[in-house]
Amino acid sequence: MENFPKYLKKVIVYLLGLFIMALGVSVSKASELGVSPVNSIPSVISDILKIDMGICTTAVFIGFIPIQLIILRKDFKPVFLLQILCSAAFGIFVSISNKLADAFLPPCGNYAARLLYILISMVLVALGIMLYIQADILSLPGEGVMQALSAKTGISLPTAKIIFDWSVVIIAAATSLICLKTLSGVREGTVIAAFGVGLCLKLLNKLFLKPLQGFLEVPAQ
């Protein structure tokens, strides 16, 4: 097939993006200052149930798909159900990256080291987002909710992201306080990531977007 090499490159970049995002989640988890907003609920559930965070990530992300159905109604397309597959892939990557972090990341000895881990995690998450979005294969369910909210309400996608991010953070914080009597997975690092990932993404796009689009053979935006 003539376009097979192009599609193969997209799949590789897509999966690489998901894996780098998962690495970012694991680094933020290791910081003990909180994870990024979209992963805050899986992190809390993992701490409550004492089960693998990757499994929780897959389950929570799949749970975002019915929310898209409720928002979109008749505009919900059957192809969106394929988000189950990318949710499973991302969950597997989170499990793998958590094991890698446990094996190779040194523990944070002080607060400055924890902040450094948060900074590294933001760069990794932003890089993963840039790669997987430019591959243009399938959105993760969290982004799907943001896109559905934007499409149905007319609000901008950045505003929809803010609404979604802070909604899941509030749910994660409330769940943690009710079940664990403390904040777990939601701390100042979560707030820093909520603002910092977008800034890192802008910088990475400025530096690497055009070469990436050239590699993927997609029109520049």
Side-chain angles (χ1 to χ4, degrees):
M1 188 168 61
E2 184 178 349
N3 288 327
F4 178 75
K6 178 179 177 179
Y7 293 138
L8 181 60
K9 286 193 292 186
K10 284 192 170 189
V11 170
I12 291 173
V13 169
Y14 181 84
L15 293 176
L16 180 62
L18 293 186
F19 183 67
I20 291 175
M21 282 178 63
L23 284 175
V25 172
S26 297
V27 173
S28 67
K29 182 78 171 174
S31 76
E32 298 182 354
L33 289 183
V35 298
S36 58
V38 72
N39 294 100
S40 57
I41 295 178
S43 178
V44 170
I45 294 176
S46 175
D47 290 340
I48 293 171
L49 301 180
K50 306 300 181 186
I51 59 177
D52 184 77
M53 185 177 166
I55 296 174
C56 297
T57 298
T58 297
V60 171
F61 277 28
I62 290 175
F64 289 147
I65 298 175
I67 297 176
Q68 296 176 54
L69 175 60
I70 293 171
I71 296 173
L72 293 173
R73 299 182 184 179
K74 63 180 181 179
D75 293 326
F76 183 88
K77 300 177 182 178
V79 70
F80 293 164
L81 294 174
L82 291 176
Q83 292 174 359
I84 294 173
L85 297 179
C86 59
S87 298
F90 187 64
I92 292 170
F93 289 155
V94 168
S95 296
I96 294 172
S97 62
N98 279 345
K99 288 181 172 59
L100 291 174
D102 290 340
F104 297 108
L105 274 183
C108 296
N110 53 58
Y111 195 77
R114 298 182 193 279
L115 289 176
L116 177 61
Y117 273 24
I118 289 295
L119 176 61
I120 293 171
S121 74
M122 289 191 304
V123 174
L124 289 172
V125 170
L127 177 59
I129 290 173
M130 182 182 72
L131 292 173
Y132 112 84
I133 286 181
Q134 288 302 314
D136 193 25
I137 294 179
L138 191 65
S139 298
L140 285 169
E143 185 185 2
V145 172
M146 303 172 205
Q147 292 171 334
L149 187 62
S150 177
K152 280 299 182 180
T153 63
I155 62 177
S156 67
L157 190 58
T159 301
K161 176 173 172 55
I162 292 172
I163 293 172
F164 176 81
D165 281 354
W166 286 107
S167 295
V168 296
V169 166
I170 291 170
I171 292 170
T175 303
S176 179
L177 288 172
I178 292 170
C179 297
L180 299 173
K181 310 303 180 185
T182 186
L183 282 176
S184 175
V186 180
R187 285 188 52 182
E188 59 267 39
T190 305
V191 178
I192 294 171
F195 296 101
V197 170
L199 295 175
C200 290
L201 183 58
K202 285 183 180 179
L203 177 60
L204 290 173
N205 279 340
K206 189 174 295 186
L207 294 174
F208 303 114
L209 185 58
K210 287 185 178 179
L212 177 61
Q213 289 175 335
F215 175 74
L216 293 172
E217 302 177 49
V218 297
Q221 297 177 352

